Amino acid sequence: MRKGSGIFSVKRIAEPEALLAQGLQELKLDAALAEPLLAYLAELVKWNSAYNLTAVRDPAEMVTRHLLDSLALLPHLAAIPSSPMLDVGSGAGLPGLVLAIARPDWRIDVLDSNGKKARFLRHAQRSLHLDNVQVFESRVEELRVDEPYAAITSRAFASLGDFVAATEHLLADDGHWLAMKGRLDDNELAALPPAVYSSRAVRLVVPGLREERHLVIATRLPSSP
């Protein structure tokens, strides 16, 4: 890893704990979040060896690519209603469980149709005492809920158009789709369906990650009276 502005040196990434502490400081988040986040990381590392939840194996790399990547959303969610939230295709709980740890005052539901990933989500919810989390094992198109969501997130789940189409029935009027992306695809943005009446993309700054990361925020068109 090269040295540079916002990039950790080799010595500083030796331990996941130090890397997370530095990342929380750069994101201006409470240092006390390190303890529950490291507890989540320990469960992820343990389960990943048997269930292959993520291709990332190194715990320090998990801190950057999973924990800090998910936490980088928080500054952009302050100005919009974000609870209740649904995280679709949550996989190992990214970003849903990480956001739930950081914001215990938010209700965050996580969904994955893959049985082994849903089992991990339920285990993490119980072992980490995340009372603000509910786990769904279902295809998102088949999910039905009593209360629509103020925000729906995805991370490498589908194209923007497919993400919107699959979740439109779950999002409240004036709710927000929050799609985490790497490089932006102009064709994807141009192909957003009529349900979206405004959208914008913001660059995410992930401590220690020298790759393009973006968040697309799309707002749902209110239903006709």
Side-chain angles (χ1 to χ4, degrees):
M1 173 128 2
R2 291 177 296 175
K3 294 183 180 181
S5 178
I7 303 299
F8 302 128
S9 70
V10 172
K11 291 183 180 179
R12 291 167 65 192
I13 66 170
E15 297 295 336
E17 295 84 357
L19 182 62
L20 180 58
Q22 179 68 25
L24 290 173
Q25 183 179 19
E26 289 197 21
L27 291 171
K28 297 181 172 56
L29 295 174
D30 189 349
L33 288 175
E35 182 177 355
L37 288 169
L38 288 170
Y40 162 77
L41 180 66
E43 295 298 330
L44 177 57
V45 170
K46 180 170 65 176
W47 277 61
N48 197 47
S49 63
Y51 284 82
N52 195 30
L53 300 172
T54 168
V56 180
R57 298 291 178 182
D58 178 63
E61 191 175 358
M62 285 181 177
V63 168
T64 299
R65 292 189 172 276
H66 292 335
L67 301 189
L68 297 179
D69 185 63
S70 297
L71 292 170
L73 268 66
L74 284 173
H76 304 285
L77 305 185
I80 63 174
S82 300
S83 178
M85 175 185 289
L86 174 67
D87 181 30
V88 302
S90 193
L94 305 163
L97 291 186
V98 175
L99 295 178
I101 292 169
R103 292 300 306 260
D105 54 320
W106 289 359
R107 196 192 97 207
I108 301 179
D109 295 344
V110 292
L111 175 147
D112 205 285
S113 62
N114 182 289
K116 65 182 180 181
K117 293 177 180 178
R119 285 194 291 277
F120 172 74
L121 292 171
R122 288 191 288 267
H123 167 77
Q125 188 273 335
R126 291 191 301 268
S127 64
L128 300 175
H129 307 291
L130 298 176
D131 297 332
N132 57 330
V133 170
Q134 182 175 5
V135 178
F136 293 111
E137 182 178 346
S138 169
R139 287 176 53 84
V140 67
E141 296 87 350
E142 298 168 359
L143 182 65
R144 297 294 182 271
V145 294
D146 294 331
E147 178 187 4
Y149 293 98
I152 300 179
T153 63
S154 74
R155 183 177 186 259
F157 170 69
S159 69
L160 288 173
D162 289 344
F163 171 44
V164 169
T167 58
E168 183 181 354
H169 66 290
L170 298 168
L171 189 66
D173 285 355
D174 293 318
H176 301 279
W177 285 284
L178 308 169
M180 299 179 69
K181 295 286 183 179
R183 289 192 175 190
L184 288 179
D185 185 329
D186 292 337
N187 292 327
E188 270 195 82
L189 291 171
L192 283 169
V196 175
Y197 81 86
S198 70
S199 65
R200 60 189 176 95
V202 295
R203 192 179 187 104
L204 295 175
V205 178
V206 180
L209 188 64
R210 190 182 282 275
E211 295 177 11
E212 286 192 37
R213 298 293 287 142
H214 293 86
L215 175 65
V216 178
I217 303 173
T219 305
R220 177 177 176 163
L221 183 72
S223 300
S224 301

